[in-house]
Amino acid sequence: MELYGFKVPRFTALLFWAALWEFVGQFELLLLFPPLSEVLMALPDVLTTPSFGEAARLTVASYLGGLTLAIVIGVGLGMLMGLVKAADNLLNMWVNIFLSAPLSALVPVIMILFGMGMPTVVVTVFMFAVWIIALDTRAGVLHVSPSLMEMSRSFGASRVARFRIILWSAMPEILAGVRLGVIRGVKGVVIGQLLVSIIGVGALFSLYSQNFLMAHFWALILILFAFALTLADLIARLETRIEYYAGARA
Amino acid sequence: MNMNTAINIQEQAATDAIIEVRGVHKVYGETVTALQDINLDFNRGELTSLLGPSGCGKTTLLKIIAGLLKPTSGEVRVNGRPVTGPGPERAFVFQDFALMPWATVVRNAAFGLELQGVAKAEREARARHYVEEVGLAGFEDKYPHELSGGMRQRVGLARALAVDADVLLMDEPFSAVDEQTRRKFQEDLIRLREVENKTFILVTHSIEESVYLSDRIIMLSPRPGRLNRIVTPEIDRSGDPDLIRRNPEYLDLIDEIWTGLRAYVE
Amino acid sequence: MSSVQTNSGLIAGPTSRAFAMVGGTPLLWRLASLAIFCAVWEIAGRTNFNWAFPTFFETMAALWSMLADGSMIMAYGRTLEPLVIGLVISLSIGVGAGVLMGLRRDAEWITLPIFITMQAAPMAALIPLITFVYGIGLTAKVLAVCMLAMPVIAINSYKAVRNVPPSLVDMSQSFMGSRSQQVFKVILPAASPMMFAGIRLGVAEGFSGVVLAELLITPTGIGDLITFNRSIAKFDHMYAAIFSIVAFAVIAVSLLHRLEITIFRPEKRGA
């Protein structure tokens, strides 16, 4: 974006929106938005309460647990689908159904099966993240160049060596899937806790809304958003680092 | 001496140059010079090739003539009028065909006319005529993905012919087509020139192709793109197009050009 | 045909690739896959590993009884209202904003960061806030649907416009098409496959939004069926309700894809 010949950096647009938010909040134009300054003031308040520490610990722990599970099982499932045609025919449909299904409807089931605690949140994160990882891994495996496979066979590579070649060749797609899984996982960890509602940030949200603490509510949302965007950005950086060899592959 | 050449150029322009390129520079960003001081005339009714290795700016020059790119300095005149953008007297044939996947062969071929606001019945009749002329009779209602690469480029050619422009600008039209199809296409282009009285400017990196087809070959050298040499093949193309490929003049000229271009590769 | 599919898969991302793949699996395999799923469900239910896990047939019987007594149809009537209103709003604003961002740099600069944030961030966290401000009525639910559905629609429309092959734009320019001809005859049709992929994702998200709203804000419609049946321990009915909304969403999304092909993709019809 250029304005009168000057390059305007991207992030300045966010400053504009922040200013607009403050304006809307100050003049109480939209009930939804308290002034941004008030929200920022509430930030340290939120960050220092012991219940926030507890919620953060639970959120991070269940997020990492669910995501690890999703990556391990998702990559495994995707590899299986990419390599075994029969498995692909049987599983493909379900992976795609779960990819576009309203997964939040399944959370009540998860709650019954896993109780009203952390395991439910872990499983929710897993359910949100696993399908896209599996699907992208599958796509990556199917895109491995046939000439590369013929090369490895003609040079007498063992099964294990061939498997390693497939895994590395599929890495760009796997990482793309993981990045989407990371973003979906954050949604999962929030939705899971909201629906369970008696633990973690879910409990904090109900606490704040019961006490009409709008600014605190928004502060917590900002923290969650920052968490999500930082994660997405980190993975995107990792991806560009790996891109140079993905480009060489194509 | 200097004055003499200037007068010569003007005289030439007055006689039969349909496109005049005058002092064209093109700089990308701040530093990359794609074209440096290009002065050229393209004669009416001739087929001129722009030949050179990749990076010599030949496509850039063609797009400047088409009015799709603006030169950093200098100007292009068509029929004596300076170019400010695309015009009805020029039609472009794209390297990647630029066909609309959602439209049939006829609608693609008629698209130039559609943009001009020609009524549907008339534009389709004209498009059908040219679809037939480029050898695609029977494929009028197919979609691009149902055609081979060579056939898709024929649609692109029909689209350019249908708007009845004086000049056809072809950007590596055969580079995305396999060798057999390319040869057939080249032969058909020679026949087409007998029917359609048009000026062709063809960008290519194939020495054989340029010698086979052109009345004049303009060789550009890379980084920065400059005028290197102009060759005028004197090849009789009236007989069997296949015989040209065995014509000693054709073969000698290919060798000669290759010797000249070799320096840029090594 | 296959080249076209890979092509659209490339630009439209994983989901449209997914839809293309489902279409490619033979019917027999899909039926076998369905049968195995039901069998596993039935067996798992019969092992009684969890007191609240009904068998497949119990669930289907519950589904049938809810359909027969009309309670499920009533529930869907209530659920569809915020969903449809929310989706219509999301579609018009999302597609409009996305196309505008794709066509104009200034619109992109000012609006894109908002939509990128909305797509990457857990918007569901705002649902309790919306309830807090707008109460438990229709407005809050419509907003919930919009918040989840709109970002993905807008972002995909934006990317779709940006990914239009430059040579097609050059082409319309070289044949002296005006800006409006360029937009309506070339850019929008060329962008439509990816735009529709985004719309399908948006509809799926919208379903998620309405279910979340009905579970979090106040139980109505299908959310009420889930919550109520859980509270009275009629788990087969609860599972049937969940099964129905998942199936409904998946069927709606694939019907949308079918509709897109029959109306907007003449080149794929019959091919």
Side-chain angles (χ1 to χ4, degrees):
Chain A
M1 166 82 181
E2 280 186 24
L3 214 60
Y4 310 114
F6 286 102
K7 270 211 184 301
V8 186
R10 248 165 194 281
F11 68 89
T12 43
L14 283 177
L15 291 182
F16 164 79
W17 289 106
L20 186 69
W21 181 353
E22 178 68 26
F23 178 81
V24 167
Q26 284 297 344
F27 293 91
E28 294 173 10
L29 298 175
L30 274 170
L31 218 49
L32 195 58
F33 295 99
L36 180 62
S37 50
E38 226 171 88
V39 174
L40 293 177
M41 304 273 250
L43 259 180
D45 218 24
V46 171
L47 283 169
T48 47
T49 49
S51 54
F52 174 78
E54 175 58 24
R57 198 194 55 75
L58 181 105
T59 305
V60 171
S62 45
Y63 177 72
L64 289 181
L67 193 67
T68 314
L69 212 59
I71 291 174
V72 172
I73 294 182
V75 171
L77 198 64
M79 288 291 252
L80 181 72
M81 287 165 69
L83 295 173
V84 185
K85 186 76 192 128
D88 189 30
N89 281 334
L90 286 178
L91 295 171
N92 196 334
M93 183 170 88
W94 296 105
V95 171
N96 284 300
I97 283 178
F98 283 119
L99 199 62
S100 60
L103 290 172
S104 19
L106 291 178
V107 178
V109 172
I110 300 172
M111 281 195 305
I112 292 180
L113 297 180
F114 294 90
M116 299 287 278
M118 187 168 141
T120 296
V121 184
V122 173
V123 174
T124 311
V125 173
F126 168 78
M127 282 294 276
F128 271 71
V130 69
W131 311 111
I132 189 69
I133 297 176
L135 200 70
D136 274 12
T137 305
R138 172 191 181 277
V141 172
L142 290 179
H143 280 174
V144 173
S145 97
S147 68
L148 194 64
M149 289 329 292
E150 279 163 9
M151 181 280 290
S152 63
R153 210 169 311 153
S154 71
F155 282 99
S158 66
R159 276 183 85 89
V160 180
R162 289 216 302 269
F163 187 78
R164 283 233 301 269
I165 289 178
I166 293 176
L167 187 64
W168 282 108
S169 304
M171 203 44 89
E173 278 91 348
I174 295 178
L175 274 182
V178 169
R179 179 170 54 89
L180 293 173
V182 161
I183 292 172
R184 282 169 180 247
V186 176
K187 297 179 179 177
V189 84
V190 170
I191 289 174
Q193 293 182 67
L194 281 175
L195 287 173
V196 173
S197 85
I198 52 168
I199 54 165
V201 289
L204 277 180
F205 276 133
S206 15
L207 179 77
Y208 294 150
S209 58
Q210 273 151 27
N211 296 300
F212 302 104
L213 294 165
M214 278 287 272
H216 287 69
F217 207 120
W218 268 108
L220 187 55
I221 285 173
L222 279 190
I223 294 167
L224 279 175
F225 276 28
F227 174 60
L229 294 173
T230 314
L231 273 173
D233 193 55
L234 271 179
I235 295 279
R237 266 160 214 254
L238 187 68
E239 249 185 313
T240 43
R241 281 188 120 192
I242 239 148
E243 206 146 73
Y244 76 97
Y245 108 90
R249 188 192 56 159
Chain B
M1 179 66 208
N2 245 340
M3 272 179 63
N4 262 341
T5 31
I7 290 165
N8 267 341
I9 289 171
Q10 274 186 343
E11 266 176 5
Q12 205 187 4
T15 51
D16 55 355
I18 182 165
I19 291 176
E20 304 151 71
V21 178
R22 291 288 172 264
V24 163
H25 283 265
K26 178 70 187 179
V27 182
Y28 284 114
E30 312 249 298
T31 48
V32 186
T33 309
L35 291 171
Q36 195 172 52
D37 195 28
I38 305 288
N39 286 288
L40 275 174
D41 286 330
F42 295 91
N43 298 332
R44 202 177 295 277
E46 280 191 355
L47 192 152
T48 311
S49 293
L50 299 173
L51 176 69
S54 50
C56 71
K58 49 195 194 297
T59 295
T60 306
L61 179 57
L62 193 75
K63 288 199 168 167
I64 288 175
I65 295 173
L68 290 171
L69 289 177
K70 295 237 178 300
T72 312
S73 66
E75 70 166 0
V76 176
R77 283 197 290 263
V78 179
N79 288 324
R81 274 190 301 277
V83 165
T84 52
E89 68 291 325
R90 285 157 290 152
F92 207 95
V93 178
F94 291 84
Q95 181 176 9
D96 63 352
F97 322 134
L99 298 181
M100 304 176 295
W102 60 89
T104 59
V105 165
V106 165
R107 189 170 167 223
N108 264 300
F111 193 66
L113 299 169
E114 186 180 335
L115 291 180
Q116 288 173 13
V118 177
K120 190 173 163 127
E122 193 198 332
R123 67 174 190 247
E124 293 208 335
R126 269 159 76 182
R128 274 172 205 281
H129 167 76
Y130 286 103
V131 166
E132 206 180 300
E133 192 170 290
V134 298
L136 283 180
F139 291 93
E140 285 87 351
D141 297 320
K142 298 277 184 206
Y143 288 94
H145 71 87
E146 298 171 290
L147 306 179
S148 68
M151 289 156 92
R152 286 183 210 179
Q153 192 54 292
R154 283 166 194 269
V155 181
L157 184 59
R159 178 176 60 199
L161 288 169
V163 292
D164 199 24
D166 303 324
V167 186
L168 256 64
L169 306 168
M170 306 173 89
D171 181 17
E172 305 202 21
F174 311 128
S175 65
V177 167
D178 66 61
E179 180 61 26
Q180 292 89 322
T181 319
R182 186 181 319 164
R183 284 193 167 210
K184 181 77 176 64
F185 210 144
Q186 290 165 354
E187 291 175 7
D188 289 352
L189 191 60
I190 287 182
R191 287 210 196 84
L192 186 79
R193 288 191 57 203
E194 291 161 9
V195 196
E196 299 280 338
N197 183 28
K198 308 239 180 246
T199 309
F200 289 85
I201 303 178
L202 177 86
V203 163
T204 180
H205 56 244
S206 156
I207 302 174
E208 284 85 353
E209 183 170 288
S210 64
V211 177
Y212 184 77
L213 291 171
S214 339
D215 302 312
R216 221 154 58 105
I217 301 169
I218 290 162
M219 286 158 69
L220 299 171
S221 59
R223 276 174 280 272
R226 264 172 311 183
L227 216 57
N228 180 1
R229 197 180 150 201
I230 296 180
V231 182
T232 321
E234 307 272 343
I235 296 170
D236 176 25
R237 297 195 180 80
S238 54
D240 180 0
D242 222 23
L243 286 178
I244 302 173
R245 294 190 209 276
R246 272 175 276 163
N247 185 329
E249 243 176 288
Y250 165 79
L251 294 167
D252 288 348
L253 193 55
I254 289 174
D255 253 10
E256 194 195 320
I257 294 176
W258 166 233
T259 323
L261 284 179
R262 201 177 209 153
Y264 298 114
V265 185
E266 280 166 354
Chain C
M1 187 67 221
S2 68
S3 75
V4 170
Q5 273 192 353
T6 40
N7 199 15
S8 72
L10 266 180
I11 56 162
T15 318
S16 92
R17 213 157 62 213
F19 286 109
M21 284 178 339
V22 174
T25 312
L27 184 66
L28 207 65
W29 276 106
R30 272 188 276 171
L31 287 176
S33 176
L34 204 63
I36 291 177
F37 178 81
C38 300
V40 168
W41 184 348
E42 180 70 25
I43 292 164
R46 280 170 194 261
T47 57
N48 275 328
F49 78 99
N50 184 295
W51 52 277
F53 194 80
T55 68
F56 174 70
F57 286 111
E58 281 166 11
T59 309
M60 287 305 118
L63 181 65
W64 176 247
S65 78
M66 279 152 84
L67 277 172
D69 70 10
S71 60
M72 182 164 272
I73 292 155
M74 288 268 289
Y76 272 104
R78 304 259 342 238
T79 300
L80 283 178
E81 191 186 1
L83 179 64
V84 171
I85 298 174
L87 281 178
V88 168
I89 296 173
S90 304
L91 273 180
S92 19
I93 299 182
V95 171
V99 170
L100 202 66
M101 288 191 295
L103 293 177
R104 295 187 58 103
R105 292 266 164 197
D106 46 0
E108 177 195 359
W109 180 79
I110 199 75
T111 330
L112 190 63
I114 292 294
F115 281 114
I116 287 182
T117 310
M118 283 172 79
Q119 202 196 8
M123 291 301 281
L126 285 171
I127 293 178
L129 191 72
I130 287 175
T131 327
F132 179 36
V133 174
Y134 293 101
I136 55 172
L138 187 64
T139 322
K141 285 173 185 162
V142 169
L143 272 176
V145 172
C146 288
M147 273 180 348
L148 268 74
M150 201 186 294
V152 67
I153 295 176
I155 294 270
N156 268 55
S157 304
Y158 159 75
K159 283 188 186 162
V161 171
R162 271 300 149 85
N163 278 338
V164 169
S167 77
L168 272 184
V169 178
D170 269 359
M171 187 273 288
S172 93
Q173 212 185 333
S174 80
F175 288 105
M176 290 176 306
S178 63
R179 177 66 170 163
S180 74
Q181 282 177 322
Q182 194 183 83
V183 171
F184 288 102
K185 282 180 187 280
V186 175
I187 293 179
L188 288 183
S192 68
M194 195 172 169
M195 260 157 69
F196 277 110
I199 291 172
R200 288 197 296 273
L201 284 175
V203 170
E205 285 288 318
F207 268 95
S208 226
V210 80
V211 170
L212 264 180
E214 289 189 333
L215 289 175
L216 282 175
I217 298 175
T218 162
T220 51
I222 211 71
D224 181 40
L225 283 186
I226 296 173
T227 320
F228 175 71
N229 283 308
R230 184 175 63 182
S231 68
I232 58 167
K234 279 169 91 175
F235 293 109
D236 47 352
H237 283 67
M238 172 192 158
Y239 272 74
I242 291 172
F243 176 86
S244 78
I245 186 78
V246 170
F248 189 75
V250 171
I251 290 169
V253 170
S254 23
L255 277 184
L256 208 64
H257 189 41
R258 199 63 65 79
L259 195 74
E260 175 205 335
I261 287 180
T262 34
I263 297 179
F264 294 103
R265 309 256 142 253
E267 75 274 17
K268 284 200 179 164
R269 231 176 284 147

